[in-house]
Amino acid sequence: QQQVKQSPQSLIVQKGGISIINCAYENTAFDYFPWYQQFPGKGPALLIAIRPDVSEKKEGRFTISFNKSAKQFSLHIMDSQPGDSATYFCAASIGSARQLTFGSGTQLTVLP
Amino acid sequence: DARVTQTPRDKVTEMGQEVTMRCQPILGHNTVFWYRQTMMQGLELLAYFRNRAPLDDSGMPKDRFSAEMPDATLATLKIQPSEPRDSAVYFCASGAGGSNQPQHFGDGTRLSIL
């Protein structure tokens, strides 16, 4: 009931391409869906977050698409850059002030 | 730029030793989380506090782990006795507790139990 499933496990994209990472959740009580970016040796850093009352949120090159009926959400990185190479985690919680349930992570490599 | 500070950054010790990890949350944040990251299990919650009171520690092995907040500027996670399976990166995160306030993570303590 608490799981968040993330795919793919790894992703290789050419510079300038679009990176797409998908997540699915089970618990319909989740109402806050953040994406975190993690570089080696660093803690996860919030990238962008969405609540289920909207279907899409865009911040710069990063877009979250949210499908409430399918219980799925995805991260799109437009014009991917080598500096975007990192591990990305989706997460979900009941309210942003409560504990996060994380997906398993996607290691993104953007080739120059 | 406000940050969550964790110490030590790295810790190597032998099985059976006591380990104490410390976290200084962002000033003014009233919610503190402890997460553990391993290759096998990914990121998983160990415990979390609001206004220094523990709200959920169900993810923590109670027989050897303990988490406390002696004051609003310090959270501690202790393991006694430590075991090789405790080897992981331990992250502390803090949040302001509001409905639109995200969690901010420290850079973790990398723990190796030999």
Side-chain angles (χ1 to χ4, degrees):
Chain A
Q1 187 73 358
Q2 294 291 325
Q3 264 193 321
V4 176
K5 296 182 179 179
Q6 183 172 346
S7 63
Q9 187 175 9
S10 63
L11 181 61
I12 299 175
V13 174
Q14 292 286 340
K15 178 182 176 181
I18 302 173
S19 304
I20 302 174
I21 305 170
N22 301 298
C23 284
Y25 63 97
E26 299 172 0
N27 188 349
T28 55
F30 287 145
D31 64 355
Y32 176 72
F33 302 90
W35 285 89
Y36 280 81
Q37 179 188 56
Q38 185 179 28
F39 292 104
K42 296 292 187 180
L46 179 69
L47 198 58
I48 186 173
I50 197 169
R51 293 192 180 274
D53 52 344
V54 297
S55 60
E56 185 174 283
K57 183 175 181 180
K58 184 177 181 179
E59 289 184 1
R61 296 184 294 109
F62 302 92
T63 300
I64 299 179
S65 296
F66 187 85
N67 186 328
K68 187 174 181 178
S69 61
K71 295 188 287 185
Q72 296 175 346
F73 58 110
S74 60
L75 176 69
H76 296 233
I77 306 174
M78 311 299 288
D79 187 26
S80 299
Q81 300 296 311
D84 297 331
S85 298
T87 301
Y88 292 81
F89 293 93
C90 62
S93 67
I94 304 171
S96 64
R98 298 182 63 176
Q99 67 268 39
L100 293 166
T101 299
F102 283 92
S104 54
T106 296
Q107 187 167 354
L108 172 66
T109 302
V110 181
L111 301 176
Chain B
D1 194 18
R3 301 181 62 181
V4 174
T5 303
Q6 290 187 247
T7 56
R9 287 282 284 129
D10 293 277
K11 176 73 175 180
V12 181
T13 192
E14 293 186 346
M15 182 175 65
Q17 297 298 304
E18 178 176 301
V19 174
T20 299
M21 292 169 273
R22 294 178 173 80
C23 168
Q24 182 177 351
I26 293 172
L27 188 65
H29 282 189
N30 68 342
T31 310
V32 173
F33 304 82
W34 284 103
Y35 294 91
R36 177 169 62 184
Q37 186 174 37
T38 62
M39 289 295 294
M40 292 299 295
Q41 300 297 325
L43 275 159
E44 53 183 352
L45 179 78
L46 294 176
Y48 89 100
F49 296 77
R50 182 169 297 152
N51 297 323
R52 296 175 55 201
L55 291 190
D56 186 350
D57 61 1
S58 59
M60 211 164 61
K62 301 291 191 307
D63 57 338
R64 299 184 299 108
F65 285 59
S66 62
E68 295 179 345
M69 281 201 73
D71 60 60
T73 65
L74 176 65
T76 62
L77 180 66
K78 292 185 180 181
I79 308 175
Q80 170 63 26
S82 57
E83 298 181 0
R85 59 179 168 154
D86 301 329
S87 298
V89 182
Y90 291 81
F91 288 104
C92 174
S94 71
S99 61
N100 288 312
Q101 300 301 316
Q103 296 177 30
H104 298 266
F105 282 73
D107 285 336
T109 293
R110 183 178 297 275
L111 177 64
S112 297
I113 307 297
L114 306 177

